[in-house]
Amino acid sequence: MTTKMFKRLPWLGLTGLLVGLQGCAALDEPAEPGVAAATPTETTTSELGTPQAIQLGANLAVLGTTEDGYALYWDAGVVYATALQPGAARTRVTRAAAPPLTMTSGRVALVWPDQAFFGPLAPSSLVVWTAAGGAHRAADSSMPPALSAIAASTAVSPDGREVIFTANVAADGSTGDIVRANADLSRATILVRGALVSPFSGCPPHVGFDADRACHGPRWYWHADETDATLRSRRANAVVASCDASGAPSLARWVGGARSELTTNLGSTVWSTDRFGAHLLTTAGDGSTVAYTRDGASLVVNPDPSLAWITPGGAAFTLSRRDPTTVTLQRTTFGAAVRTERVMDVGETLGVMFANHLAQGAPHYNITPNPMSPDQQFFGGFNTVDPNTGLTNAILVDAGRRRLRAASANANALPSVEIATRDSSHMLHYQLEPDGTFAMYATARTGGTRRLSQGATGLEHYGIAGGVVAFSDNFQGNPADLLSTTDIKLVDLAAGTAPRVLTRAAHATFFTARRRSVVVYSTEQGRPGLYVTRVR
């Protein structure tokens, strides 16, 4: 068996960037910062909070934020971590000649110091940081995650206690080991030796955990009828889909430290689970969709070649060809009986825009490739691809209302960061404009598409709450340079009002924190530094 088997479904093309689920908010975030001694010169509207200086200094590049109230940033060859409080002491994480690729998930940050945020992927050392445990070198040679991929080579457990990453990677980046370790690196175990680890191998590894934490307090929440003892005994298990050096695939789960082989009959390494890990969905060698239960039993969800994913709530969606001219979207639910229903026919072809990931493509949270809106009712699709650019048209595929809405008729669109507003009222995407820059657009589920950015955008946005979105506008500089500048704006799509300026000429990367109540950014305006501004 070779990696060629992973190219059997060209008519159901995959596009977009790394898929992730937003983790639950922290239960014990630090107190809100007070008034800063210095603020940028940018004037904000009365609806926004006063910008608060966290760290002062020129040419600071924000790399990510953690859910316990910290930001990682680069300053003159060093990565630092800081609490999001004025006057907080900064902590050294690692040296890095340029702003490095950084992945934040929950309370954990992973930094590849030798890998520029943008640039050709190559093996790099890896440093894992937490506020509680500090910085630890995890690997001398790790393959960083690809900025444009669905399969993820790195993951953090839902409780933030464990990480999965690649190590001992060959100089050419082709093969390496897949390692599971405590976040403080006090214990590490090799799960898979000599796997293909390059995202360009045709069989990239897809790693993660088979369950997500639900926001119901400090304990694990599974089902209302389970006892506390059962809740405590159930933990998220590591899951790895990978190929050995010959291209032979396998999908395995580790329960209590012991490997449980689920299958070697894979058509893709991409898998997905529901929030509770009750079902793990993957593609078999013949293209059919198969689900595996927690005890390892399997059932065929769709016998036809399919593109498939499962939502956090446990609904499995499949796209498959019903006849030579018709692709059908189906939904399968699990219970005492498995129930499959045809949602609707969607035309001759349909691909899916997988886009739930952090800004600039940095992978955030790998539980399941879930392309759907927060209410799990619609996703972005396409049926036209520009062979020269890889861009597509854009279609709002509304499974809840069983209808399609055109978002972009031409093959000039791409997804980024989040596909929808927090209230699931609008689909968010980008379009390549005639001047060669990208602009941001929103398409309402009720109809109508609206351009949001006035100038070029940095392909970065976050849903804040309801229909409010923070986004990049008037981008200036080299897209590969994190010290390029952008205006950060907020727009309330539900109210239909014009965007308002949060700050002008901030550096290219910005993030949200504290349950999306603040925006974190750096700037050269006024007194240069790292700032937070409350947005709700």
Side-chain angles (χ1 to χ4, degrees):
M1 187 175 295
T2 70
T3 55
K4 292 181 180 178
M5 65 182 292
F6 294 94
K7 302 176 182 179
R8 292 182 173 179
L9 304 178
W11 64 272
L12 285 176
L14 296 173
T15 192
L17 301 175
L18 184 72
V19 177
L21 290 176
Q22 182 70 36
C24 295
L27 301 172
D28 54 351
E29 294 177 341
E32 288 296 323
V35 178
T39 59
T41 56
E42 172 63 34
T43 300
T44 60
T45 65
S46 59
E47 293 94 340
L48 303 175
T50 301
Q52 300 171 323
I54 304 303
Q55 298 287 344
L56 295 178
N59 297 321
L60 308 184
V62 188
L63 303 172
T65 57
T66 62
E67 70 173 15
D68 52 345
Y70 288 82
L72 277 81
Y73 70 97
W74 180 88
D75 179 12
V78 180
V79 175
Y80 294 97
T82 179
L84 294 176
Q85 299 173 343
R90 67 183 187 177
T91 301
R92 182 183 180 279
V93 176
T94 185
R95 289 192 175 277
L101 183 63
T102 300
M103 168 180 167
T104 57
S105 177
R107 303 184 180 200
V108 180
L110 300 96
V111 183
W112 286 265
D114 313 315
Q115 173 68 49
F117 213 100
F118 293 103
L121 284 186
S124 165
S125 58
L126 170 63
V127 173
V128 179
W129 178 89
T130 62
H136 298 273
R137 192 177 180 93
D140 293 330
S141 182
S142 175
M143 178 55 73
L147 296 186
S148 182
I150 296 173
S153 62
T154 308
V156 177
S157 65
D159 60 8
R161 296 178 182 178
E162 294 183 298
V163 291
I164 302 176
F165 54 89
T166 58
N168 306 318
V169 174
D172 64 0
S174 58
T175 60
D177 300 334
I178 299 173
V179 177
R180 178 186 190 179
N182 290 352
D184 62 3
L185 275 295
S186 60
R187 183 179 61 186
T189 303
I190 295 177
L191 300 180
V192 180
R193 294 182 184 273
L196 293 176
V197 296
S198 170
F200 314 112
S201 66
C203 183
H206 187 75
V207 308
F209 294 84
D210 66 356
D212 186 13
R213 181 183 60 195
C215 303
H216 294 284
R219 70 178 188 175
W220 289 78
Y221 178 84
W222 299 88
H223 299 289
D225 58 348
E226 293 189 299
T227 65
D228 284 349
T230 302
L231 291 170
R232 287 193 297 268
S233 69
R234 288 196 173 181
R235 309 291 292 195
N237 301 305
V239 178
V240 174
S242 63
C243 286
D244 64 20
S246 71
S250 70
L251 174 64
R253 174 164 42 199
W254 280 258
V255 180
R259 174 172 176 147
S260 173
E261 192 77 34
L262 294 179
T263 185
T264 58
N265 179 25
L266 286 177
S268 167
T269 52
V270 176
W271 52 268
S272 58
T273 75
D274 57 52
R275 172 164 291 165
F276 306 125
H279 293 91
L280 185 154
L281 208 68
T282 191
T283 303
D286 61 1
S288 62
T289 299
V290 180
Y292 293 88
T293 64
R294 288 185 68 89
D295 61 9
S298 64
L299 61 97
V300 175
V301 174
N302 190 329
D304 299 321
S306 310
L307 174 60
W309 65 93
I310 192 168
T311 69
F317 284 88
T318 60
L319 281 165
S320 59
R321 187 171 294 286
R322 184 179 178 188
D323 57 48
T325 61
T326 307
V327 173
T328 298
L329 177 66
Q330 295 187 155
R331 176 170 43 215
T332 299
T333 53
F334 306 93
V338 178
R339 180 173 177 266
T340 297
E341 61 173 332
R342 184 180 69 84
V343 178
M344 59 179 165
D345 294 333
V346 293
E348 293 186 16
T349 61
L350 189 74
V352 176
M353 290 180 161
F354 288 91
N356 292 341
H357 60 89
L358 266 191
Q360 309 294 342
H364 177 58
Y365 199 82
N366 171 232
I367 291 295
T368 173
N370 173 38
M372 302 196 79
S373 57
D375 68 357
Q376 305 303 298
Q377 294 300 305
F378 78 80
F379 61 92
F382 65 92
N383 54 25
T384 302
V385 181
D386 185 324
N388 298 313
T389 64
L391 300 178
T392 71
N393 65 336
I395 303 168
L396 192 160
V397 184
D398 197 333
R401 302 179 182 182
R402 300 176 186 259
R403 65 180 304 167
L404 307 177
R405 290 195 182 277
S408 173
N410 300 318
N412 61 359
L414 82 164
S416 183
V417 189
E418 297 171 323
I419 200 68
T421 54
R422 300 292 282 174
D423 63 1
S424 301
S425 64
H426 289 74
M427 172 180 160
L428 305 171
H429 72 283
Y430 294 88
Q431 291 181 197
L432 182 65
E433 299 299 303
D435 65 359
T437 64
F438 280 95
M440 185 179 179
Y441 288 80
T443 298
R445 290 180 70 183
T446 55
T449 295
R450 172 184 174 186
R451 177 169 172 163
L452 302 183
S453 59
Q454 292 181 320
T457 181
L459 302 181
E460 182 169 3
H461 68 265
Y462 300 92
I464 300 301
V468 178
V469 179
F471 66 97
S472 160
D473 199 358
N474 298 320
F475 182 90
Q476 299 287 330
N478 183 347
D481 182 4
L482 269 64
L483 297 179
S484 297
T485 63
T486 186
D487 296 345
I488 304 174
K489 296 183 177 180
L490 289 134
V491 62
D492 188 342
L493 293 170
T497 53
R500 61 189 192 274
V501 176
L502 184 148
T503 188
R504 295 196 186 278
H507 286 145
T509 55
F510 60 93
F511 297 84
T512 62
R514 302 188 186 286
R515 307 184 187 189
R516 306 194 185 213
S517 65
V518 299
V519 171
V520 183
Y521 59 95
S522 59
T523 182
E524 302 302 307
Q525 304 297 300
R527 297 187 66 185
L530 174 70
Y531 289 83
V532 299
T533 297
R534 175 171 283 281
V535 291
R536 66 177 177 90

